[in-house]
Amino acid sequence: MLDDFFMRALLAGLGLAVVTGPLGSFVVWRRMAYFGDSTAHAAILGVALSLAFQVSIYAGTLLVALSMALLVSVLAARGQAMDTMLGVLAHSALAIGLVAISFVPAARADLNSYLFGDILAVGRADLALIWGGGALVLGLLLWRWQRLVTATLNEELAMAAGIDPRTERLALSIALAVVVALAIRVVGSLLISALLIVPAAAARGLAPTPERMAAIAALIAAASVGAGLWASLKLDSPAGPSIVVAAAVFFLLSLFFRRN
């Protein structure tokens, strides 16, 4: 089964979907869309550094994504105007990454795969990293679930309960950085935020509790992966964008079901 490139792509997408559902729910609840953009766009700089120093793409991307996530967390703790700051960081990180990658000849020919993903080229080692890293992130979210939900709903209530909101914000930042590093081969740096936000946004009006929303978001993300890969195979369209288009269709369907 793993010798079939389509099955490897499907397994990689499903491994990512299981994590992006719950994590994307927190991104939606906390209105962290720009946070995801800034971390994802910084991944291109990680790709450039990885190729320049001949290290693993995942390692370089994770290092840069973690650095960006920690920087944003520090700025948030200091009370910076985060909407403007995140906008500046997101676009600056992408521009710096594109300039840096232009100096790496090995990356120029394969730039689209890093921007929009190349899930059909995922190998067995990539599968192991995606599922292993995804399991770690999912374990972190399950371990701190109640604390994360409380800190998301009301920081004052969380502090009264002995929960430090800064610690929970840092945990989410680390989880987001890991997911960005895992998703760079699947949907690319420009589409990672969409896979986090769109399924969670679709699930938001269909679930009465945070736990159900996270589960439904994961199911929608998984269905988007399957539908997007099928469309890519039948229409010969790029796989990463096709997955995001499928997620957008599910979002529109969720709006219809909400109205009825």
Side-chain angles (χ1 to χ4, degrees), residues 30 147-160 163 165:
R30 286 176 167 263
R147 289 173 170 266
L148 287 167
V149 171
T150 303
T152 297
L153 292 176
N154 191 309
E155 290 195 352
E156 289 77 13
L157 178 63
M159 293 176 68
I163 300 171

Side-chain angles (χ1 to χ4, degrees), residues 8 44 64 84 89 99 103 124 179 184 211 224 248 252:
R8 289 197 303 269
I44 288 296
V64 174
T84 302
L89 288 174
V99 170
F103 293 103
R124 295 190 180 193
V179 169
I184 190 73
E211 291 78 12
S224 301
L252 293 176

Side-chain angles (χ1 to χ4, degrees), residues 121-189:
V122 166
R124 295 190 180 193
D126 297 312
L127 272 180
L129 281 171
I130 290 170
W131 278 91
L136 288 175
V137 172
L138 195 59
L140 173 65
L141 293 178
L142 291 174
W143 172 44
R144 307 195 69 85
W145 181 264
Q146 197 55 54
R147 289 173 170 266
L148 287 167
V149 171
T150 303
T152 297
L153 292 176
N154 191 309
E155 290 195 352
E156 289 77 13
L157 178 63
M159 293 176 68
I163 300 171
D164 186 355
R166 293 173 298 181
T167 302
E168 308 313 315
R169 190 184 304 119
L170 180 61
L172 279 178
S173 301
I174 293 173
L176 186 59
V178 173
V179 169
V180 165
L182 295 175
I184 190 73
R185 288 293 300 273
V186 178
V187 289
S189 68

Side-chain angles (χ1 to χ4, degrees), residues 47-48 51-52 54 101-111 113-114:
V47 170
L51 294 174
Q54 297 183 346
I101 212 168
S102 69
F103 293 103
V104 183
R108 292 180 190 173
D110 209 21
L111 181 58
S113 68
Y114 299 121

